[in-house]
Amino acid sequence: MRILGIVLACLLLLAAPALSEEEADYVSDFSYWADGWYARSNGGASVFLTDHGAALGIEGRTADWHSMGRDFTLAEGESYQLSVLVRQDEADEARFVLSVAHSHQGQESYENIAVATAKRGEWTEISGTYLAGQYERFVLYVETQGAATLSYAIKDFVLRGKTQAFGAEDLPSLAEAYKAYFPFGTAVTYMEAVNRPRMDFYASQFNILTPGNELKPDSVLNVAVSRMLAAEDETAVAVHLTAAKPILDYAQEKGIPVHGHVLVWHSQTPKAFFHEGYDPRRPMVGREVMLGRLEHYIEAVFKATGEQYPGLIVSWDVVNEAVEDGKTSLRDSLWKTVIGDDYVERAFEFARKHAPKGVKLYYNDYNTAYEPKQTGIANLLKKLQEAGTVDGYGFQMHHDIRQPGYRAIEKAFKRIAALGLCLRISELDVTVPDPSEASFAAQAKLYGQVMKLALSYADQVDAVQVWGVMDDLSWRAKSFPLLFDAWAKPKPAFYAVLEAVQD
Ligand code: XIL
């Protein structure tokens, strides 16, 4: 009886093995009770030890998702490096997926983390990064794609939490180094902001923050409430700041100013915004209603941010990316379709009318270094300047070491600077074709050149902002575009940015 009790207690303990917070690393060791791994299936599949206990096999599968899985306690907002070796002996090759099943309030959902193709009889690595979301339960598992009945095995499953690297090195602060010239900032997203050690690390390097997605219309427009209000008034608009909250709360607490991004854009904007009753199945509204919505949206965003975070947001991208690539004219967008070509000017008028005093209004765009778009941007800025509605221009600067080349960047900067507006580099990142030493040296060189350029216009430059901190969380993660690697280790580009101001 007593022995049975102990066995039962052990089984319960093993049912959901967890990593304690201190022990952020996990390396599989199947030697004891399969180390908490079990078969995920609706019957039939089972796991077994193989390779003299070094590996864990699975057999009896009848669906791709039938797999070996294990529960992990992961910290929300922490990013994890994962790798595992997989092997199969039944097919010439088979495709495997490393996935996570996560549950929130009992609702399970899934994400694929990485894929690999394993040839018969070869241990093959699958590796990837997972940024843990807001869930109570996480199961990591290795499944197949198009090989529902295949038997296979895994070994050497490794999980490492990356935030443990924050603050590991005593680094000079970029914000501190640039303090006399302009704020040095970064974009940050919701999932980064919910992780305090990460944010403290960011705050040691950056002194202006901009939400990477969370102040865009698809985060801010409250479609459900707007739809209700539209029954009375088609121009009514409701907004909420739920997505931006962790970022704005942190910035407010630490006294770090925020650049708002973005009020009007062709992308990341709900289609419903442009339809009668905010219902995409109904016809689009006319120009007058849309102008009403545009004004009310801008007014509501300034009001909500001003009331909940007084003084925190010092500048806004009012309109983003309005000029077409390879042209001087405006790109097609629902804003242009419904309102017409003057939507940009109207947006700036409304922004000027409703913005809190002192908040700077920016037009933001990319590919400024290319003609004829550069001319299109300059023309648009001049028009807005004449109307007195724009304060600055944001150069996104999503570059690559191979193009457009520093000369073109410099020339564009000079031309726009001559208009006399405030300037910012709003979204700096530089991709590389491969993670080689030579590529990272070229990347560092371009970062250094761009920073020197900004310094030479320091009187006019309001801020330089990189578009993210660590390579693995970048929107262009595959091309390693940022100042820190996936382990928060400064890259040559970090030192180039630092040296640019120290020379
Ligand atoms: C990007 C974000 O970084 C991604 O997370 C998102 O999926 C797409 O948008 N120009 C902009 C930014 O103005 O808003 C874009 O940000 C990058 C290009």
Side-chain angles (χ1 to χ4, degrees):
M1 218 29 226
R2 199 168 147 233
I3 291 180
L4 186 64
I6 292 170
V7 170
L8 276 177
C10 287
L11 278 175
L12 282 176
L13 273 177
L14 287 165
L19 302 179
S20 69
E21 257 171 54
E22 308 82 66
E23 177 209 5
D25 291 359
Y26 167 83
V27 179
S28 63
D29 168 7
F30 302 114
S31 62
Y32 188 69
W33 283 95
D35 199 17
W37 290 82
Y38 54 88
R40 293 167 43 78
S41 89
N42 45 0
S46 57
V47 294
F48 58 94
L49 294 189
T50 174
D51 234 22
H52 309 289
L56 184 79
I58 185 162
E59 60 188 6
R61 304 169 65 242
T62 52
D64 271 323
W65 67 270
H66 288 180
S67 54
M68 59 278 275
R70 184 183 189 272
D71 287 60
F72 289 86
T73 300
L74 305 182
E76 181 186 348
E78 169 138 0
S79 88
Y80 294 88
Q81 181 65 38
L82 286 149
S83 68
V84 61
L85 296 179
V86 61
R87 173 188 165 143
Q88 58 85 21
D89 297 308
E90 293 178 3
D92 286 345
E93 46 179 53
R95 231 167 135 67
F96 290 94
V97 190
L98 172 59
S99 301
V100 58
H102 32 49
S103 318
H104 180 54
Q105 291 169 353
Q107 277 274 18
E108 198 171 51
S109 51
Y110 311 91
E111 266 174 80
N112 297 145
I113 297 166
V115 292
T117 301
K119 293 211 173 82
R120 187 195 305 273
E122 286 179 15
W123 283 107
T124 305
E125 186 179 86
I126 320 177
S127 63
T129 299
Y130 174 60
L131 181 65
Q134 214 171 10
Y135 302 100
E136 294 88 43
R137 184 176 177 212
F138 299 89
V139 182
L140 294 167
Y141 60 100
V142 181
E143 60 182 337
T144 55
Q145 231 172 40
T149 59
L150 189 85
S151 297
Y152 55 94
I154 63 163
K155 69 174 181 181
D156 298 345
F157 185 99
V158 179
L159 171 133
R160 288 182 68 197
K162 291 179 180 173
T163 47
Q164 55 187 314
F166 295 151
E169 230 176 303
D170 205 8
L171 290 178
S173 159
L174 297 177
E176 199 56 46
Y178 279 88
K179 212 168 175 175
Y181 303 98
F182 42 73
F184 190 76
T186 183
V188 18
T189 57
Y190 178 95
M191 284 309 299
E192 292 168 281
V194 293
N195 189 289
R196 189 110 195 153
R198 177 194 298 284
M199 288 305 281
D200 290 345
F201 170 63
Y202 290 5
S204 73
Q205 288 295 335
F206 304 99
N207 55 0
I208 187 162
L209 298 175
T210 188
N213 286 312
E214 294 73 3
L215 287 176
K216 291 173 179 172
D218 61 352
S219 290
V220 172
L221 181 69
N222 191 332
V223 176
V225 175
S226 299
R227 192 171 287 168
M228 274 157 44
L229 298 176
E232 285 287 313
D233 174 4
E234 277 286 7
T235 70
V237 180
V239 301
H240 64 133
L241 302 176
T242 324
K245 187 172 167 36
I247 303 168
L248 300 180
D249 283 352
Y250 185 89
Q252 190 175 44
E253 181 195 323
K254 296 276 175 169
I256 305 172
V258 169
H259 175 71
H261 175 78
V262 48
L263 295 170
V264 176
W265 192 20
H266 65 275
S267 180
Q268 289 181 269
T269 301
K271 277 214 170 58
F273 208 171
F274 303 90
H275 287 263
E276 284 175 9
Y278 288 87
D279 180 351
R281 290 164 306 183
R282 291 179 55 191
M284 290 220 239
V285 297
R287 171 179 161 91
E288 289 313 314
V289 168
M290 205 60 221
L291 281 171
R293 286 187 185 176
L294 174 61
E295 174 160 13
H296 290 148
Y297 178 75
I298 290 173
E299 184 182 13
V301 175
F302 283 136
K303 187 157 175 273
T305 49
E307 279 173 7
Q308 294 171 49
Y309 301 96
L312 185 67
I313 304 187
V314 294
S315 47
W316 268 97
D317 291 331
V318 176
V319 178
N320 195 28
E321 304 182 349
V323 178
E324 177 76 292
D325 278 319
K327 297 226 168 86
T328 56
S329 52
L330 298 186
R331 75 160 70 227
D332 281 335
S333 81
L334 289 177
W335 287 109
K336 189 172 124 170
T337 306
V338 180
I339 294 181
D341 266 10
D342 65 337
Y343 84 87
V344 180
E345 289 144 278
R346 298 289 86 78
F348 273 93
E349 264 169 40
F350 297 144
R352 184 61 96 210
K353 184 168 158 199
H354 296 290
K357 236 184 151 176
V359 168
K360 286 191 184 173
L361 304 179
Y362 269 81
Y363 174 66
N364 193 54
D365 212 330
Y366 68 99
N367 278 352
T368 325
Y370 294 94
E371 280 290 25
K373 183 170 178 174
Q374 186 184 105
T375 299
I377 291 170
N379 292 346
L380 181 62
L381 288 172
K382 277 187 229 161
K383 216 168 10 175
L384 297 170
Q385 256 182 312
E386 276 162 27
T389 51
V390 71
D391 297 305
Y393 179 65
F395 295 83
Q396 288 189 9
M397 295 213 188
H398 295 293
H399 291 316
D400 181 87
I401 55 169
R402 291 156 297 183
Q403 48 82 20
Y406 177 66
R407 288 288 152 240
I409 297 171
E410 187 187 28
K411 211 169 142 212
F413 206 86
K414 269 193 182 152
R415 172 160 180 207
I416 303 294
L419 298 175
L421 289 162
C422 300
L423 305 173
R424 76 194 306 113
I425 295 175
S426 52
E427 306 183 13
L428 179 60
D429 60 13
V430 179
T431 52
V432 292
D434 54 60
S436 66
E437 216 174 290
S439 290
F440 285 141
Q443 181 183 55
K445 184 172 173 207
L446 189 60
Y447 264 105
Q449 286 172 316
V450 166
M451 292 314 296
K452 278 208 182 319
L453 179 62
L455 283 168
S456 69
Y457 286 88
D459 291 348
Q460 226 172 318
V461 170
D462 278 339
V464 174
Q465 299 163 177
V466 284
W467 202 246
V469 183
M470 289 162 52
D471 279 344
D472 62 326
L473 300 183
S474 161
W475 72 307
R476 307 203 287 172
K478 288 194 179 79
S479 313
F480 313 94
L482 297 171
L483 302 180
F484 293 87
D485 74 7
W487 297 94
K489 207 167 135 11
K491 294 161 63 187
F494 170 90
Y495 292 103
V497 169
L498 194 64
E499 279 154 24
V501 71
Q502 287 170 340
D503 283 358

